[in-house]
Amino acid sequence: MLDDLFNRGFFTALDLHFANTMVRLGRDDHPWVALGAAVTSRFTSLGHVCVDLSRIAGREIQSAEGQRIEGHRWPELSPWLEALEQSPLVGHGQTATPLVIDDRHRLYLHRYWQYERQLARELRRRAVRELGSIDEDLLEEGLTRYFGPLTESTPPHEQRLAAALAVLRSGLVIISGGPGTGKTTTVVKIVSLLLEQARAESSTPPQILLTAPTGKAAARLSESIQSAKRRVEAIASLVDQGIDLPHDATTIHRALGWRGGGSGEFRHHGAHPLPADLLIVDEASMVDLALMTKLVAALRPEARLILLGDKDQLASVDAGAVLGDLCPTGTRIAYRDGFARRLNRFCPLPAPAEPAPLPSDIGDCTALLTHNYRFGEHSGIDQLARAINLGDGPAVMKILTDPRLGNARLIEWDEQLNIESIIEPQVVEHFNSLPDEPTSSRQLDRFNRYRILCAHRHDARLGSGAMNRAVERILVQRGALAIDDDWYIGRPVMVTRNDYRLGLYNGDVGLVTQGTEDDTARQVLFVQPDGEERRFAPSRLPPVETVFAMTVHKSQGSQFDHVTIILPRQPSPVVTRELLYTAVTRAKASVTVVARPEVIHRVVATRTERSSGLRDQLWPTAQTRVPSG
């Protein structure tokens, strides 16, 4: 069975090798134990932390693309569990066994079982940590200064609530919100409030560390904080008083001191913690379970941890959906009575919608931002994102086809047309006149206002690779490009691996240009957030790829004025509601979706499901979930 599933592409060579090694080492040749080892390896590589046997037992086996693999079914649950329980390879965590099964029939690789328990234990400890000494009069005055007075006519007070909660909670704060909800501005104000508290106590200002999972996200965090410092008058006044706010963000790997070499080990850990009193992690939805566990373990017990992100975005590429597990479902939180009364002094709490999550330690540390300040109430992008999150397919189609909502529209896939004919108007509008810009930096700036986002990378017709080639053909035919070699003038490239020596990071985008008069060799131009231009010979660069089009996964942490989204011709389990939401929310001005209506309906109805036990360890088991469609 294992060999056949390998030959038919379900298992990889690694899965098969792991299963065979476990059978040999454990001297247990029961086929269902080998199957359990192989499927645990496979599911972990697909992003799951574990395999929920109760969800797959007895069912037909399906590929990652949702195709039935005829002739094969998973074993029934009871005999499968019996075989696993009797195997020396499987334990309940008390002993060092390669596989661990919990009381809810979830089967883990031992390492991921440890990660999950360690992270849950540390987050619970931080969530219930005793509150420090807070000057509540100073906090109230500061909240009014940064967020304005409380009036019924002002927008929702979500940001004010998040700031009050962050100052009152001394160990852990989670702030989730979509693009345009003001997460970064809010966290800058939180830092300002904490610095004011430290000054009032005549204590040393806290050491603050700003991090993000990728170099691109770190650069955007730095840029956003610098902008907020200039834009918010009260913060600028604080800076004038000599209380400056940090703005230099770094990647999580660099902050931890990644040792490289594939070891997964870091210089900073529990015995050698990070030199930080406050750790801020932006784009936390992109952080996988293993990395988040190591990051939290490296933080001093008395330090504060603030996680920022969007719980509705795509989860991390590697195993886990940590931010999604940390946040409640729905858009409301019910705080526990004692903490709710304390919060209510600083910000009136809205009555939670019913049904609501049960109050919990982790809930008292969480704030959800839902009010979008970027778009007006008639914005098609905002309405579209909300409808996608609700799983409302008819509403999504209505928005995409409503001519009054000019910034969100649908182009129906037509099998009679090739994809180049469909995307050509958008490509010509946004890319054809790039050579007319007076400088290379202006060309790069204009290029970065538009992007084509693809659901898949390797789809022969609609993947990002195929779309890049299609754009090149269109622009060559229009005379906007002349492709004479791999490093043709005007080629946009994206860095795919961090190079700390050069200061180039995964996600950075550059443009191939002609050299100066003194040096005619071709160069690649990158522009830093502060406007500094940096040029490199192509041979010096880390790995790069052409980026007229990119996958939705690669677009996380980026923003563009205009976006065209290409969905596959047929539904796929990996093309989900979260993927479409992530793609739509990359756009600031307009979004165009190229798809068949039936595919859109299926995508909106399909949620990303990652098996994990983290939520059960952090939230009450009787939590009532707000319906999400």
Side-chain angles (χ1 to χ4, degrees):
M1 181 178 180
L2 287 177
D3 289 339
D4 190 41
L5 288 172
F6 168 72
N7 293 331
R8 296 168 75 168
F10 181 84
F11 288 128
T12 66
L14 176 62
D15 304 327
L16 203 62
H17 177 71
F18 176 72
N20 289 331
T21 300
M22 291 299 99
V23 167
R24 186 173 66 254
L25 293 177
R27 298 179 181 179
D28 185 342
D29 58 358
H30 196 297
W32 290 350
V33 173
L35 181 63
V39 74
T40 306
S41 170
R42 181 60 178 149
F43 270 48
T44 303
S45 69
L46 292 174
H48 301 275
V49 177
C50 55
V51 184
D52 189 341
L53 298 180
S54 62
R55 299 194 64 179
I56 66 172
R59 299 186 178 184
E60 290 184 324
I61 297 180
Q62 294 185 340
S63 68
E65 292 73 32
Q67 303 300 316
R68 292 170 51 203
I69 300 180
E70 293 185 9
H72 290 297
R73 302 180 72 92
W74 298 113
E76 295 297 331
L77 182 61
S78 293
W80 199 359
L81 288 175
E82 183 179 355
L84 291 168
E85 293 277 5
Q86 293 176 358
S87 172
L89 297 169
V90 183
H92 296 280
Q94 289 82 9
T95 57
T97 56
L99 300 173
V100 177
I101 194 164
D102 70 7
D103 57 0
R104 297 199 177 190
H105 313 321
R106 289 181 290 227
L107 188 62
Y108 294 80
L109 297 177
H110 193 276
R111 179 161 51 114
Y112 283 92
W113 182 85
Q114 284 186 312
Y115 285 149
E116 190 174 272
R117 264 81 189 150
Q118 182 182 351
L119 181 60
R121 183 171 60 251
E122 180 61 21
L123 292 177
R124 287 196 305 266
R125 188 187 65 77
R126 291 183 176 278
V128 300
R129 196 167 75 193
E130 288 296 320
L131 302 182
S133 174
I134 297 295
D135 185 333
E136 296 196 356
D137 291 334
L138 177 62
L139 173 57
E140 188 170 21
E141 185 273 331
L143 289 169
T144 299
R145 186 163 14 96
Y146 291 120
F147 297 96
L150 288 169
T151 65
E152 293 183 1
S153 61
T154 54
H157 303 296
E158 296 169 334
Q159 293 184 7
R160 183 188 185 102
L161 173 64
L165 181 148
V167 175
L168 293 174
R169 305 304 300 184
S170 60
L172 172 67
V173 175
I174 303 158
I175 301 175
S176 173
T181 56
K183 295 188 297 295
T184 305
T185 301
T186 300
V187 84
V188 171
K189 295 177 181 179
I190 290 169
V191 171
S192 302
L193 291 167
L194 291 173
L195 290 173
E196 290 178 357
Q197 291 283 331
R199 180 177 61 172
E201 296 176 3
S202 299
S203 61
T204 304
Q207 292 281 74
I208 300 170
L209 180 59
L210 306 171
T211 65
T214 67
K216 181 68 173 179
R220 289 193 68 244
L221 177 59
S222 298
E223 184 180 7
S224 298
I225 290 178
Q226 287 176 310
S227 174
K229 288 166 62 175
R230 295 188 300 266
R231 189 176 67 254
V232 180
E233 183 178 342
I235 295 175
S237 174
L238 195 67
V239 174
D240 291 341
Q241 298 173 42
I243 303 178
D244 200 3
L245 282 71
H247 60 262
D248 292 327
T250 186
T251 64
I252 295 173
H253 281 82
R254 194 171 195 186
L256 286 173
W258 184 48
R259 295 187 182 278
S263 67
E265 297 301 318
F266 296 96
R267 186 172 66 254
H268 290 290
H269 44 75
H272 180 49
L274 289 163
D277 302 303
L278 168 60
L279 173 64
I280 297 172
V281 183
D282 196 20
E283 297 289 354
S285 65
M286 299 170 64
V287 184
D288 61 86
L289 174 66
L291 184 58
M292 186 67 81
T293 303
K294 294 175 181 180
L295 179 63
V296 174
L299 193 60
R300 292 200 301 258
E302 67 275 14
R304 292 174 180 261
L305 172 64
I306 298 179
L307 303 177
L308 301 175
D310 185 350
K311 68 184 180 67
D312 297 313
Q313 271 193 195
L314 280 169
S316 56
V317 174
D318 292 318
V322 175
L323 187 66
D325 285 339
L326 294 183
C327 292
T329 54
T331 58
R332 294 288 186 272
I333 295 176
Y335 298 104
R336 292 180 300 181
D337 289 344
F339 186 59
R341 284 193 296 272
R342 195 174 186 195
L343 270 179
N344 208 51
R345 170 183 173 181
F346 305 102
C347 184
L349 300 179
E354 294 296 340
L358 293 175
S360 68
D361 294 329
I362 202 78
D364 281 355
C365 301
T366 305
L368 302 181
L369 306 181
T370 62
H371 183 79
N372 197 301
Y373 295 87
R374 179 177 298 165
F375 304 114
E377 60 178 312
H378 300 298
S379 163
I381 296 175
D382 188 42
Q383 292 184 42
L384 182 59
R386 291 176 183 273
I388 292 169
N389 266 343
L390 291 172
D392 191 340
V396 169
M397 289 301 302
K398 183 177 180 180
I399 293 165
L400 287 173
T401 55
D402 187 341
R404 296 170 297 177
L405 301 174
N407 64 349
R409 67 186 184 116
L410 171 69
I411 297 178
E412 289 196 31
W413 173 263
D414 186 344
E415 294 287 354
Q416 304 305 313
L417 297 175
N418 61 44
I419 189 61
E420 290 182 29
S421 300
I422 294 174
I423 66 170
E424 185 170 11
Q426 287 80 36
V427 170
V428 170
E429 177 183 356
H430 295 289
F431 290 152
N432 197 59
S433 58
L434 288 178
D436 299 335
E437 293 292 338
T439 64
S440 298
S441 60
R442 288 277 296 274
Q443 289 179 15
L444 182 58
D445 176 70
R446 184 168 175 181
F447 169 78
N448 280 327
R449 299 176 193 174
Y450 172 69
R451 198 72 86 247
I452 297 172
L453 302 182
C454 304
H456 292 137
R457 177 180 178 86
H458 298 296
D459 186 308
R461 293 180 64 184
L462 302 179
S464 58
M467 296 307 302
N468 275 308
R469 292 188 291 273
V471 172
E472 287 175 335
R473 287 193 293 269
I474 292 170
L475 295 179
V476 167
Q477 292 169 3
R478 292 275 179 162
L481 280 184
I483 300 180
D484 48 6
D485 65 19
D486 289 343
W487 295 99
Y488 59 83
I489 300 296
R491 179 192 175 195
V493 296
M494 182 175 67
V495 175
T496 60
R497 189 176 68 202
N498 293 340
D499 188 320
Y500 295 112
R501 180 177 54 86
L502 295 180
L504 294 175
Y505 304 105
N506 183 11
D508 285 351
V509 172
L511 190 71
V512 179
T513 66
Q514 189 66 52
T516 63
E517 293 181 2
D518 297 331
D519 183 5
T520 58
R522 292 179 182 178
Q523 300 175 333
V524 183
L525 168 70
F526 293 86
V527 178
Q528 301 297 100
D530 61 3
E532 177 192 356
E533 295 185 11
R534 306 181 66 207
R535 297 174 185 270
F536 301 91
S539 60
R540 294 186 62 200
L541 295 180
V544 299
E545 59 188 32
T546 304
V547 71
F548 289 111
M550 63 198 304
T551 63
V552 178
H553 280 88
K554 287 282 189 180
S555 75
Q556 287 181 273
S558 299
Q559 289 282 291
F560 312 100
D561 290 345
H562 310 281
V563 163
T564 296
I565 302 167
I566 310 292
L567 294 183
R569 290 169 292 166
Q570 301 295 330
S572 165
V574 299
V575 183
T576 62
R577 180 187 308 177
E578 289 79 6
L579 182 140
L580 183 56
Y581 168 83
T582 302
V584 166
T585 53
R586 298 312 91 201
K588 295 187 289 185
S590 73
V591 60
T592 300
V593 180
V594 179
R596 297 166 59 193
E598 57 268 34
V599 171
I600 291 177
H601 280 284
R602 182 70 67 85
V603 168
V604 172
T606 304
R607 301 212 65 164
T608 299
E609 294 185 359
R610 288 199 168 178
S611 297
S612 162
L614 184 61
R615 175 179 291 276
D616 288 343
Q617 297 182 61
L618 296 174
W619 288 90
T621 55
Q623 178 188 177
T624 302
R625 299 194 174 189
V626 176
S628 59

